[in-house]
Amino acid sequence: MLGIFFGLIGLGIVGGIGLFAYLYITTEVPQPEKFALAEKTTVYYADGTTPIGSYAEQNREIISCTDLPDYIGNAIVASENRTFYTDKGIDLKGIARAFLNNVTTGTRQGGSTITQQYAERYYLGETTSYAGKAREAILALKIAQTESKDEVLCNYMNTIYLGRNSYGIQAAAKAYFNKDAKDLTLPEAAMLAGIIPAPSTWDPADNPTIAKQRFKRVLNIMQEDGYITAKEHKAAQFPETAAVAQQNEYQGPNGYLLTMVQSELVKSKAFTKEDLDTGGYKIVTTIDKAKQDVMQSVGDTRINGMPDSLQVGGIAVEQKTGAVISVYAGSDYLTKPLNNANQAVFEPGSTMKPFALLGTAQEGVNFDTKFNGNSHQHFQGLDQEVNNALEINWGTINLYQATANSVNTVFMNVNEHLTPQRTAKIAHEAGITGDIDASSPYNVLGINALTVWDLAQGHSTIANNGVKNTLHMVSQVLDANGKNLYKAPNENKQVFDANDCYLVQKAMQGTTTTGTAAGVSASLGGRQVAGKSGTANDELAASFVGYTPSLLNVWAIWNPDSDGNPQVVPAFGGYGVTSTGYPAHLFTEYMSQALKGTAVEQFNTAKDTGKIGGPDGTWGLGSGSSSKSSTNDPKSTTEGDANANANSGTDSSSNGNSATQEFAQQCLANPSYSTECPNYPGNNSSGGNGDGNTNGTTNNGNTDSGGDTTNQQSNSQ
């Protein structure tokens, strides 16, 4: 038994020696300058040549150490490796002590010399496994045999990270003391040496107590080891450091783009933050430089009367691919890091209604079905009555008119049939990830806070004819050899019937021609534009979603106080009581420039095969009541009316007269019932566009109807 035991030990020793010899022979010492000067990761616009900025810019300047005072290197040796000048590159006692501590306490302890730290941090990467530590030790041995102590220490000082984005003693001297390394004083050198293990945490600007403790420790060791005298020790006072300089890479709006790209890649799990900081990649985004400049200019514009506290968020998306081509997240990332495009939230109001409208199409309800569009209605399970904006009574209207004018009571009726659970489910299927209260009938009026990004994600699916694509900002990530390491999201999932989406698009076009954003289509040269405006309850936010067949654009405004609590968005610059028109104005400003020179596109033709009153005849005013779309001829005879008259023996001519009389009565009771009404607001002999603006500009005064729930909140949209 003893023979077998010692035989196994002998085999183990031989095997260990063989493994050590193999690792020693195959381990090469790379040139430190190659890592030190490695290319930083740079983010580019969609053209792949114009840079947006870089990650973890390695502020490093390789210097000769011959001009450095001895106390700089000695301070580092005293702090990190007192046996540096006598050891062989590894500290066997330290390794054994660390191993024992790791086994007995379960904690990780390094036990590394300066040479090992150099090998670990700049050749091998952060090593925590025992196998990694073994390879690190072998590399340290080779470095110790091929380089002198002075060379090793100089290379270490040139590459060690010292905080404040500074790599190496030269960059650190400038970052902390605004001077060259050769001009550092003894106290300054001792302070820098002391914080080497955790420079970002022990920076005197962040933790002066620990920094001073480490400073005293270094000086004590330097005196004990004979590097300085007691007099020099006593005279050394803790130095004053310069203010921390912000990274200019993140200054202005580019900081938002850089952090959004980083977040997207880290969230994809294709890269870690450390990978992006040190990988030297070329990241090509989907952001169009020209369109981004336009969006930034539009969002940054502050008109007369606009409160300083008012926040603006925007995004533009190519819905056919999910590519984000521009975002408005704010003016300066360094002064306000909260991103208005994908972090800050607001109540979207009536921009949620199209999801319920889609559900109506899915249920087989014909959009010409008539509904009661008056205010002061009560709905099942609600104690308070529901009103439209400004308590307008719209009379009997169809879903096209209700969408264009954002009539609350009609959509509350729709949600009553569809159920809040179904409306929430449709919005989530479209891609919205934010919380939507599936138990509240008011969810159709947009009572749940979302981001601009989230709202764009949901609407882009309807805009893309029911095909869902994940919104993204990164096109590709290339390594130093030009190899693409990343595949952008390309879902292309058909989640809704295309024709159902065509119907929603058709209804939303009424918004930009005769509805709450009348004039938008005309301002864009008569292009077909689907749109929906929305205002939160109590006028705490306003938003607009609009798109052509290829480009979707969302804008929102809200008004937080100094603590971030929502406040009323006041009227300003002539933009209505609820300022609904301002997001539509931003949309028009951006799209008029973004679409310049592009082909005029048409939406697909919708076929409404649904039944008047729905399959069971209970939707709206029932199966016997219908009207042709107001986008065609609101005065025309409907099939429902014709059938009813035929059954009662009334001829078609009397039916036509009846329809004309009914239309005249509706116009008399409510001039805004249709643009065909003689007394429709804005109609005049010169043929205005229906919103009181004859110059083709967006309707500033019109208000959307969403978000209102009670008679005390009748101005909400």
Side-chain angles (χ1 to χ4, degrees):
M1 292 293 291
L2 288 174
I4 293 173
F5 177 73
F6 285 114
L8 290 174
I9 290 177
L11 288 174
I13 292 173
V14 172
I17 293 173
L19 177 61
F20 175 84
Y22 171 77
L23 290 175
Y24 188 87
I25 293 171
T26 57
T27 299
E28 295 182 359
V29 180
Q31 293 298 314
E33 289 80 10
K34 289 183 179 180
F35 179 89
L37 301 177
E39 184 181 1
K40 58 191 176 186
T41 294
T42 303
V43 182
Y44 294 86
Y45 287 101
D47 61 12
T49 58
T50 308
I52 296 174
S54 302
Y55 294 126
E57 180 183 2
Q58 297 199 5
N59 180 19
R60 179 187 284 114
E61 183 180 345
I62 302 297
I63 61 171
S64 170
C65 298
T66 55
D67 294 333
L68 297 181
D70 290 342
Y71 53 70
I72 296 178
N74 292 337
I76 291 174
V77 169
S79 177
E80 294 298 292
N81 182 194
R82 295 177 73 175
T83 63
F84 171 71
Y85 287 111
T86 58
D87 64 39
K88 301 299 182 181
I90 61 174
D91 180 4
L92 293 178
K93 290 182 180 179
I95 292 174
R97 184 172 58 252
F99 177 79
L100 181 63
N101 181 77
N102 296 343
V103 171
T104 56
T105 67
T107 60
R108 286 287 179 186
Q109 195 175 84
S112 297
T113 64
I114 281 178
T115 312
Q116 283 178 265
Q117 288 183 53
Y118 180 52
E120 173 192 7
R121 298 185 186 187
Y122 306 107
Y123 295 134
L124 299 174
E126 193 70 25
T127 56
T128 56
S129 67
Y130 292 117
K133 286 293 182 183
R135 188 179 174 209
E136 169 197 308
I138 291 172
L139 182 57
L141 282 172
K142 275 209 157 184
I143 291 172
Q145 290 184 352
T146 57
E147 298 179 16
S148 69
K149 290 293 184 180
D150 288 342
E151 287 178 306
V152 170
L153 184 58
C154 183
N155 288 338
Y156 179 79
M157 288 193 293
N158 266 323
T159 53
I160 187 69
Y161 182 64
L162 286 161
R164 299 196 181 188
N165 197 39
S166 57
Y167 291 78
I169 193 67
Q170 174 71 358
K174 291 181 178 179
Y176 286 90
F177 303 110
N178 292 321
K179 61 174 63 174
D180 289 326
K182 63 182 178 61
D183 297 322
L184 288 173
T185 64
L186 169 62
E188 291 167 348
M191 191 229 81
L192 289 174
I195 66 172
I196 286 175
S200 298
T201 305
W202 294 346
D203 186 325
D206 298 320
N207 199 332
T209 300
I210 295 296
K212 289 177 181 178
Q213 291 175 359
R214 298 287 301 180
F215 169 75
K216 292 178 180 178
R217 172 184 174 274
V218 171
L219 291 175
N220 288 338
I221 295 174
M222 290 185 75
Q223 181 180 341
E224 290 176 14
D225 291 353
Y227 294 126
I228 59 174
T229 65
K231 182 178 180 181
E232 289 172 320
H233 183 181
K234 185 177 181 180
Q237 300 296 315
F238 190 79
E240 183 177 349
T241 58
V244 179
Q246 293 280 7
Q247 281 186 264
N248 290 333
E249 291 283 354
Y250 288 82
Q251 191 172 31
N254 282 4
Y256 298 109
L257 300 180
L258 291 172
T259 54
M260 292 171 81
V261 167
Q262 181 187 72
S263 176
E264 182 174 312
L265 289 173
V266 171
K267 188 177 180 180
S268 75
K269 298 184 178 180
F271 303 90
T272 65
K273 183 178 180 298
E274 288 71 25
D275 290 336
L276 300 177
D277 284 347
T278 61
Y281 304 123
K282 176 180 180 179
I283 301 174
V284 182
T285 70
T286 60
I287 302 297
D288 183 293
K289 177 66 165 62
K291 292 182 175 63
Q292 178 63 30
D293 289 345
V294 169
M295 178 162 277
Q296 196 65 43
S297 175
V298 170
D300 280 342
T301 300
R302 312 294 290 192
I303 65 173
N304 291 336
M306 193 173 181
D308 292 337
S309 56
L310 196 77
Q311 297 298 309
V312 177
I315 187 171
V317 175
E318 291 179 345
Q319 62 263 32
K320 294 179 181 179
T321 63
V324 176
I325 62 170
S326 57
V327 294
Y328 184 82
S331 297
D332 182 25
Y333 176 79
L334 294 183
T335 57
K336 192 189 81 66
L338 182 67
N339 189 310
N340 283 353
N342 69 351
Q343 291 179 329
V345 296
F346 63 95
E347 289 186 19
S350 292
T351 55
M352 292 299 291
K353 289 176 180 174
F355 299 106
L357 189 63
L358 178 60
T360 306
Q362 293 173 340
E363 289 297 301
V365 180
N366 193 292
F367 280 19
D368 281 324
T369 298
K370 288 183 178 179
F371 286 78
N372 178 2
N374 291 330
S375 292
H376 309 293
Q377 291 191 46
H378 290 271
F379 294 92
Q380 186 176 357
L382 300 177
D383 296 331
Q384 295 177 309
E385 66 179 18
V386 175
N387 294 302
N388 301 316
L390 306 177
E391 297 189 43
I392 292 176
N393 292 317
W394 291 94
T396 302
I397 57 175
N398 63 25
L399 288 171
Y400 292 106
Q401 294 165 313
T403 302
N405 295 293
S406 200
V407 181
N408 284 346
T409 52
V410 171
F411 279 92
M412 288 295 290
N413 189 318
V414 166
N415 211 26
E416 195 171 52
H417 285 80
L418 199 61
T419 76
Q421 293 84 0
R422 178 69 181 282
T423 297
K425 183 174 183 290
I426 291 170
H428 287 312
E429 287 174 341
I432 288 179
T433 58
D435 291 334
I436 299 174
D437 189 348
S439 64
S440 173
Y442 296 129
N443 67 4
V444 72
L445 304 184
I447 60 171
N448 301 113
L450 300 174
T451 65
V452 168
W453 182 288
D454 217 8
L455 195 59
Q457 176 69 79
H459 276 276
S460 68
T461 302
I462 298 177
N464 195 32
N465 310 324
V467 178
K468 178 185 173 185
N469 282 311
T470 301
L471 300 191
H472 60 278
M473 291 178 60
V474 179
S475 173
Q476 54 184 340
V477 180
L478 306 175
D479 66 12
N481 297 318
K483 180 182 178 181
N484 189 8
L485 307 177
Y486 178 73
K487 185 177 181 180
N490 187 27
E491 195 171 2
N492 277 321
K493 182 179 180 182
Q494 188 82 45
V495 294
F496 303 129
D497 177 77
N499 188 68
D500 289 342
C501 293
Y502 299 163
L503 286 167
V504 176
Q505 295 165 7
K506 178 181 177 182
M508 290 175 65
Q509 289 177 62
T511 301
T512 65
T513 53
T514 63
T516 57
V520 165
S521 177
S523 296
L524 298 178
R527 288 178 184 261
Q528 289 188 349
V529 180
K532 190 71 199 73
S533 54
T535 302
N537 245 344
D538 299 324
E539 295 86 48
L540 299 179
S543 55
F544 185 81
V545 177
Y547 50 88
T548 64
S550 294
L551 184 61
L552 178 144
N553 184 208
V554 180
W555 288 94
I557 59 174
W558 59 96
N559 188 32
D561 63 17
S562 57
D563 295 322
N565 300 310
Q567 304 177 97
V568 170
V569 177
F572 61 87
Y575 285 96
V577 176
T578 58
S579 299
T580 307
Y582 194 65
H585 161 75
L586 295 174
F587 173 87
T588 304
E589 288 291 299
Y590 174 78
M591 294 290 276
S592 62
Q593 298 178 70
L595 294 174
K596 190 174 295 183
T598 63
V600 176
E601 299 176 287
Q602 305 293 318
F603 286 101
N604 290 287
T605 302
K607 296 180 180 179
D608 197 341
T609 58
K611 293 184 178 180
I612 300 298
D616 59 1
T618 64
W619 289 67
L621 300 181
S623 58
S625 181
S626 67
S627 65
K628 289 295 183 183
S629 168
S630 64
T631 60
N632 297 317
D633 183 4
K635 301 188 291 295
S636 62
T637 304
T638 65
E639 293 179 6
D641 291 336
N643 291 336
N645 289 331
N647 293 334
S648 63
T650 306
D651 62 24
S652 60
S653 61
S654 63
N655 173 66
N657 291 334
S658 175
T660 301
Q661 291 173 359
E662 178 186 349
F663 180 78
Q665 290 174 350
Q666 291 279 14
C667 289
L668 184 63
N670 176 24
S672 297
Y673 172 67
S674 168
T675 56
E676 298 295 327
C677 291
N679 54 345
Y680 185 86
N683 278 356
N684 52 43
S685 58
S686 62
N689 63 7
D691 63 352
N693 299 328
T694 58
N695 58 357
T697 58
T698 305
N699 180 2
N700 295 343
N702 280 356
T703 56
D704 173 22
S705 310
D708 171 59
T709 56
T710 70
N711 57 346
Q712 285 83 20
Q713 299 168 330
S714 59
N715 287 335
S716 299
Q717 301 181 36

